[in-house]
RNA sequence: GGAGGAGUCGCAUAGUUGGUCUAGUGCGGCCGCCUGCUAAGCGGUUACCGGGAGUAUCCCUUUCGGUCGUGGGUUCGAAUCCCACCUCCUCCGCCA
């Protein structure tokens, strides 16, 4: 969240930056409440100070003097009773509104609405036109490695079951992607809980705004993690980190759960939009002056995965109207799906600056300095598994119907070079 | 799931007949003094959030309020009493 004082003191800037995002933000209501809050607070604090001053003498006093002092504080307490409840309500409301205000877009983020394609930053090569590749779900069912019908019996719509080489290929992807980030880019691997607290969800800025997009459990006390980013951003909550040890680089393999309410149709066919999917998440904690350099580095670390898999891809510099709630700047990485004839987002890399760390209380202290400041946090996918799987099937499909396995994955697949049709399954 | 115990300013602790707690002490950290060097010693300092004021753009100074796991309650007044919840520890039960 944004600091209230910053909003108050830089109202024009905040208005301008938020308008680049579009959408309604309750800024007027917030500022009005804050004004009232400060008036009341000054009054309440004055009364409390007066009460404390008198109250301190009661211990030593006795007799009439004591009675008189108690009567005085009783009077002050009565006055407090008139304004403290209102102050409490206002503070609750201010807090609630503050949570609804998104991160300010960075000045370098291209201005535009959600339908704006953004700026295509880099393209590894134009997709081959007029391709005859069937969509991934057809390829997969020919091979017998993917089963939607049975998955819907088990869990309803939005799920799938991998069989045989399909399951193996996903496992290989997970293993390789983790090893790659650890070995090539110096990441530390974490394994995280799939259930996260309401507090973690709120601090990561997934609540209250996006409550409807996630699954709640145990009377909303816990939530099924919609992304490993939630657990990762809470990992250092309440800690003051040594700035000399930064950046902290974490990689985690985790399932992500999303309700995807109302999503159905051609665009969601097959594996493209599902309610449970695996991904490899990158997360960095940095000093404020290093976060934009880190953003570029992380984009490169995610791109490297796509390159090694030999996929056609592009990088979108996400326009202000399409930024994530907590993101000041964001890159989306998209791979080409020849079967569907469209770009599929397989990664999103964001700099959230201090938006999450302020909520979670992640601070840093620089060597030799007594004071602390908020760290910056960045998250990125590298990569989302199902859509990567789609692209691998469609790009790797060979004339005989088999699918070539990328070189980097072969060691993880028992040195097989291709996937053939699975035989003898029930 | 059941029964006990515990949560205090980085760490360790003191603090329960409610008011001299403006939370003490030790360790660690930081600054300084002393000192061929180091160690020891001596002195000082040591959290976070928020309001006000200050020739101060979130730094700083000062003042006030809040924070003793979290949230309520009792009271003129709560670290201290009561209730709920959270976390950890011990034991029992159950379980991959």
């Amino acid at each position: 969240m944004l600091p209230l004082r910053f909003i108050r003191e830089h109202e024009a800037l905040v208005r301008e930056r938020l308008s680049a995002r579009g959408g309604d933000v309750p800024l007027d209501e917030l500022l009005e409440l804050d004004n009232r809050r400060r008036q009341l607070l000054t009054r309440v604090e004055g009364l409390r100070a007066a009460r404390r001053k008198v109250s301190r003498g009661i211990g030593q006093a006795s007799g009439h003097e004591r009675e008189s002092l108690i009567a005085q504080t009783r009077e002050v307490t009565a006055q407090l009773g008139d304004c403290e409840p209102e102050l409490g309500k206002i503070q609750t409301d201010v807090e609630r509104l503050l949570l609804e205000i998104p991160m300010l877009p960075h000045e370098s983020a291209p201005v535009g609405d959600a339908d704006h394609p953004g700026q295509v930053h880099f393209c590894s090569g134009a997709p081959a036109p007029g391709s005859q590749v069937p969509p991934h779900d057809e390829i997969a069912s020919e091979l017998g490695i993917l089963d939607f019908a049975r998955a819907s019996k088990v869990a309803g719509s939005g799920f799938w079951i991998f069989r045989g080489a399909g399951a193996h290929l996903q496992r290989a992807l997970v293993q390789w992607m983790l090893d790659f980030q650890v070995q090539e880019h110096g990441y530390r691997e974490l394994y995280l809980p799939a259930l996260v607290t309401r507090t973690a969800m709120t601090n990561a800025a997934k609540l209250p705004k996006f409550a409807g997009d996630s699954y709640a459990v145990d009377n909303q006390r816990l939530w099924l993690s919609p992304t490993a980013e939630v657990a990762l951003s809470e990992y250092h909550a309440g800690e003051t980190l040594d700035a000399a040890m930064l950046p902290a680089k974490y990689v985690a393999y985790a399932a992500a759960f999303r309700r995807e309410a109302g999503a159905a149709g051609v665009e969601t066919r097959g594996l493209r939009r599902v309610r449970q999917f695996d991904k490899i998440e990158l997360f960095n904690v940095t000093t404020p002056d290093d976060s934009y350099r880190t953003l570029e580095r992380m984009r490169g670390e995610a791109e490297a995965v796509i390159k090694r898999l030999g996929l056609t891809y592009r990088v979108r510099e996400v326009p202000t109207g399409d930024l994530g709630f907590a993101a000041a700047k964001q890159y989306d990485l998209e791979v080409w799906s020849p079967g569907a004839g469209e770009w599929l987002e397989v990664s999103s890399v964001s700099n959230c600056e201090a938006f999450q760390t302020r909520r979670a209380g992640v601070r840093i202290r620089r060597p030799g300095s007594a004071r602390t400041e908020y760290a910056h946090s960045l998250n990125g996918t590298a990569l989302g598994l199902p859509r990567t799987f789609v692209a691998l099937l469609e790009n790797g499909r060979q004339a005989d119907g088999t699918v070539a396995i990328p070189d980097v994955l072969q060691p993880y697949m028992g040195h097989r070079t291709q996937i053939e049709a699975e035989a003898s399954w029930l």
Side-chain angles (χ1 to χ4, degrees):
Chain A
M1 86 187 135
L2 301 175
L4 184 53
R5 198 196 303 176
F6 178 87
I7 296 175
R8 185 198 308 148
E9 291 174 0
H10 301 84
E11 187 185 333
L13 171 72
V14 171
R15 275 188 199 286
E16 186 275 315
R17 291 279 76 200
L18 288 181
S19 74
R21 273 184 176 268
D24 285 334
V25 174
L27 207 55
D28 292 321
E29 195 186 350
L30 176 68
L31 288 168
E32 200 181 309
L33 276 174
D34 176 50
N35 213 25
R36 177 81 186 123
R37 172 186 146 269
R38 282 181 296 138
Q39 281 174 19
L40 263 177
L41 191 57
T42 301
R43 172 131 191 270
V44 164
E45 289 190 344
L47 287 170
R48 281 179 184 160
R51 184 174 68 184
R52 286 191 68 166
K53 206 174 162 197
V54 177
S55 188
R56 258 178 225 153
I58 293 180
Q60 297 112 306
S62 59
H64 278 307
E65 195 193 353
R66 184 184 171 92
E67 290 309 313
S68 151
L69 290 176
I70 288 179
Q72 274 185 51
T73 51
R74 205 189 298 269
E75 169 63 23
V76 174
T77 299
Q79 289 180 45
L80 276 169
D82 291 338
C83 42
E84 268 183 329
E86 190 189 349
L87 180 63
K89 186 186 175 307
I90 289 177
Q91 278 172 340
T92 305
D93 289 345
V94 165
E95 183 67 20
R96 178 176 53 77
L97 290 174
L98 220 38
L99 290 174
E100 288 178 25
I101 295 178
M103 181 58 176
L104 304 184
H106 190 253
E107 56 195 8
S108 68
V111 176
D113 63 23
D115 296 326
H116 189 284
Q119 292 175 17
V120 178
H121 211 272
F122 175 79
C123 188
S124 66
S131 113
Q132 297 296 309
V133 180
H136 73 282
D137 49 307
E138 284 178 23
I139 297 173
S141 49
E142 275 173 31
L143 295 172
I145 60 174
L146 188 55
D147 189 338
F148 287 105
R150 283 174 171 135
S152 70
K153 290 195 291 189
V154 174
S157 69
F159 297 88
W160 79 95
I161 290 171
F162 276 137
R163 302 200 306 184
H168 195 169
L169 180 59
Q170 164 156 289
R171 178 156 52 87
L173 275 166
V174 169
Q175 287 250 70
W176 171 70
M177 285 179 184
L178 283 171
D179 287 347
F180 181 66
Q181 296 301 344
V182 169
Q183 289 161 14
E184 306 272 326
H185 298 142
Y187 273 83
R188 303 277 184 111
E189 183 178 350
L190 295 176
Y191 178 79
L192 305 158
L195 294 173
V196 291
T197 63
R198 163 169 278 277
T199 303
M201 287 283 283
T202 306
N203 290 344
K206 305 303 173 192
L207 289 178
K209 197 84 175 166
F210 306 105
D213 298 339
S214 296
Y215 291 103
V217 159
D218 195 15
N219 204 21
Q220 295 201 347
R221 210 176 71 80
L222 291 170
W223 296 69
L224 273 166
S225 176
T227 161
E229 174 198 342
V230 174
L232 287 163
S233 64
E234 193 69 3
Y235 183 68
H236 284 302
E239 297 179 19
T240 301
L241 309 172
D242 178 0
M245 301 278 285
L246 300 179
K249 303 174 71 174
Y250 299 116
V251 61
Y253 157 61
F257 301 90
R258 298 184 183 178
R259 295 190 58 199
E260 304 295 353
V266 186
E267 290 167 18
T268 67
R269 182 172 162 177
L271 290 174
R272 278 177 289 172
R273 188 172 292 278
V274 285
R275 296 191 159 129
Q276 172 185 336
F277 63 97
D278 291 345
K279 61 191 172 94
I280 307 298
E281 187 78 7
L282 304 179
F283 196 86
N284 276 225
V285 180
T286 75
T287 57
D289 43 290
D290 199 36
S291 68
Y292 279 92
R293 217 170 324 153
T294 302
L295 179 67
E296 299 304 320
R297 190 197 78 223
M298 289 175 72
R299 190 191 88 187
E301 288 162 349
E303 277 189 58
V305 177
I306 302 176
K307 286 180 187 161
R308 295 279 181 110
L309 291 173
L311 298 173
T312 301
Y313 77 102
R314 67 178 190 179
V315 179
R316 278 182 63 215
E317 205 165 337
V318 176
T320 51
D322 206 18
L323 286 171
F325 190 79
K329 178 153 181 162
Q330 177 180 344
Y331 293 110
D332 283 357
L333 276 51
E334 302 174 331
V335 296
W336 180 247
S337 159
E342 63 178 15
W343 295 97
L344 299 179
E345 183 187 324
V346 290
S347 172
S348 186
V349 184
S350 303
N351 185 358
C352 297
E353 298 189 15
F355 197 76
Q356 295 172 323
T357 55
R358 192 175 295 112
R359 291 188 182 191
V362 183
R363 297 183 169 81
I364 62 166
R365 179 178 279 117
R366 293 172 196 273
S369 170
R371 61 179 210 90
T372 62
E373 55 197 300
Y374 288 111
H376 279 193
S377 70
L378 302 96
N379 63 82
T381 337
L383 307 165
L385 270 291
R387 292 176 187 168
T388 302
F389 195 97
V390 167
L392 286 182
L393 287 191
E394 292 175 357
N395 285 287
R397 180 175 154 95
Q398 300 167 124
D400 62 358
T402 62
V403 170
I405 297 170
D407 293 348
V408 291
L409 297 182
Q410 289 175 13
Y412 295 88
M413 295 279 293
H415 297 285
R416 291 169 66 178
T417 57
Q418 60 181 28
I419 295 174
E420 287 132 30
E422 296 274 330
S424 306
W425 282 83
L426 288 174

